[in-house]
Amino acid sequence: MLDDRDRALLSRLQRDADVAVAELAEQVNLSPSACARRIARLRAEGYLTRLVARLDRRRMGLPTTVFVVVKTAQHSAEWLEQFRAALADVPEIIEAHRLTGNFDYILKIVLPNVEHYDAIYKKLIQRLPLFEVSAYISMETMKHDTPLPVTYG
Amino acid sequence: MLDDRDRALLSRLQRDADVAVAELAEQVNLSPSACARRIARLRAEGYLTRLVARLDRRRMGLPTTVFVVVKTAQHSAEWLEQFRAALADVPEIIEAHRLTGNFDYILKIVLPNVEHYDAIYKKLIQRLPLFEVSAYISMETMKHDTPLPVTYG
DNA sequence: GGTGAAAGTAGCGCCCT
DNA sequence: AGGGCGCTACTTTCACC
């Protein structure tokens, strides 16, 4: 299990991993070697998976977010297979979930602007039958790139 | 602007940044120093913002994702202020957008299990009036932690 | 953008507490 | 488990071409 130091380390690292072990160590009141051992352990035990670079979406020309809720036209293994393939082939779909409730799926799509959504929509409906497709455009991202809550105590 | 090498670097780094510049350099056919200079430039120009550690949600005890769509009870500056404060205070809400269309807001919430959603729901409705709150539980995450599409060509 | 040398780090084994 | 040491190897960084 994780103690307070582990949680502090994970919390810190998922906010900014571009830091020397020596600096991390003093923030959690550990020696550099003990701190390095912990990080290696957290990695080995699968809490910490990998380091990634965050890109600025606006700077990358992808400021627009659209959420798309989908109802399937047919509940069959073949359809699901096609749907999975479509998700994999469309890089603008950066997140996809199968849901409970009124909707079957929700997709999160990133785009240069709202007009580009039409191209994604057409790409999807020509690949497989969809019963209902509703797009909700994000007018304002109020919270994003948020670190996972690392429960203390 | 970005050339092909920049895009290749950004694409690679947002998948896995735990790599030596020397290795990156040979993947884009550059010398290590030229490659390091590019990365420094991409950072200085704001394409690359920072390095972060990815945590395993299951391992961290937060395997459950719930999407919540919210309609506001009142369109006022005071309400919005309260809503922003609530978003900031609830760490389980890891993403929030103001939307066009039938819904006003969508929240993405991470939890140890579905039962915990009730606590978040109560926390929200006691802080501010909400006209409609509908939760959609993710039964399966089909795509996630996806790197941004870095358009080539 | 390439080269080569200097400075900084990380990683490892070790022993001690 | 943590602290501290020394070592090696590697990586980044910088002046210079």
Side-chain angles (χ1 to χ4, degrees):
Chain A
M1 288 294 87
L2 301 173
D3 67 15
D4 287 352
R5 284 204 176 99
D6 291 324
R7 283 187 280 268
L9 284 172
L10 292 172
S11 184
R12 173 70 162 82
L13 287 172
Q14 68 172 338
R15 285 175 172 79
D16 179 11
D18 206 358
V19 59
V21 175
E23 192 183 322
L24 280 176
E26 70 180 46
Q27 286 176 15
V28 294
N29 295 314
L30 273 180
S31 70
S33 63
C35 186
R37 276 197 289 265
R38 269 180 192 260
I39 294 167
R41 202 198 75 226
L42 291 169
R43 204 185 262 271
E45 291 177 352
Y47 296 99
L48 202 158
T49 52
R50 62 191 204 279
L51 264 47
V52 298
R54 272 215 201 300
L55 307 188
D56 185 289
R57 283 210 7 218
R58 190 155 256 110
R59 210 80 175 81
M60 295 303 294
L62 296 166
T64 303
T65 304
V66 178
F67 288 92
V68 179
V69 289
V70 170
K71 292 189 194 183
T72 177
Q74 50 193 91
H75 293 275
S76 71
E78 292 87 345
W79 186 91
L80 186 57
E81 181 65 24
Q82 280 186 300
F83 188 59
R84 280 190 199 285
L87 294 180
D89 285 355
V90 181
E92 289 89 350
I93 302 172
I94 62 165
E95 194 166 343
H97 297 258
R98 184 162 57 81
L99 300 179
T100 57
N102 294 328
F103 304 122
D104 293 319
Y105 301 94
I106 189 168
L107 315 180
K108 181 185 174 184
I109 302 182
V110 295
L111 300 166
N113 55 59
V114 260
E115 285 69 36
H116 276 73
Y117 170 64
D118 198 49
I120 307 290
Y121 171 76
K122 284 181 182 152
K123 201 183 283 189
L124 286 176
I125 61 167
Q126 82 175 30
R127 283 187 67 138
L128 77 173
L130 301 171
F131 178 66
E132 202 178 304
V133 182
S134 308
Y136 297 89
I137 299 154
S138 170
M139 297 301 286
E140 181 189 356
T141 300
M142 304 178 75
K143 201 166 179 179
H144 74 124
D145 279 353
T146 308
L148 288 184
V150 179
T151 315
Y152 285 82
Chain B
M1 288 290 87
L2 302 172
D3 66 15
D4 286 353
R5 282 198 176 106
D6 292 324
R7 283 188 280 268
L9 284 172
L10 291 171
S11 184
R12 173 72 162 82
L13 286 172
Q14 69 172 337
R15 286 175 170 80
D16 179 12
D18 206 358
V19 59
V21 175
E23 192 182 322
L24 283 176
E26 70 180 46
Q27 287 177 15
V28 294
N29 295 314
L30 275 180
S31 69
S33 63
C35 188
R37 276 196 289 265
R38 270 179 189 260
I39 294 167
R41 203 198 72 226
L42 292 169
R43 203 186 264 269
E45 292 177 353
Y47 296 101
L48 200 158
T49 52
R50 62 192 205 277
L51 262 48
V52 298
R54 273 217 199 300
L55 308 188
D56 185 290
R57 283 209 9 216
R58 190 155 257 108
R59 210 81 174 81
M60 295 303 293
L62 297 165
T64 304
T65 304
V66 177
F67 288 92
V68 178
V69 289
V70 171
K71 292 189 194 183
T72 178
Q74 49 192 92
H75 293 275
S76 72
E78 291 87 344
W79 187 91
L80 185 57
E81 183 65 23
Q82 280 186 300
F83 188 58
R84 280 190 200 284
L87 294 179
D89 285 355
V90 182
E92 290 89 349
I93 302 173
I94 61 166
E95 194 167 342
H97 297 257
R98 184 163 56 81
L99 299 179
T100 59
N102 293 328
F103 305 122
D104 292 319
Y105 301 94
I106 189 167
L107 315 180
K108 181 183 174 184
I109 302 183
V110 295
L111 300 165
N113 55 60
V114 260
E115 285 69 35
H116 276 73
Y117 170 64
D118 198 49
I120 306 290
Y121 171 76
K122 285 181 182 151
K123 201 183 286 190
L124 285 176
I125 60 168
Q126 81 176 30
R127 283 185 66 137
L128 76 174
L130 300 171
F131 178 68
E132 202 180 304
V133 184
S134 308
Y136 297 90
I137 299 154
S138 170
M139 297 302 286
E140 180 188 356
T141 300
M142 304 177 78
K143 202 167 180 179
H144 74 122
D145 279 352
T146 309
L148 289 184
V150 180
T151 316
Y152 287 81

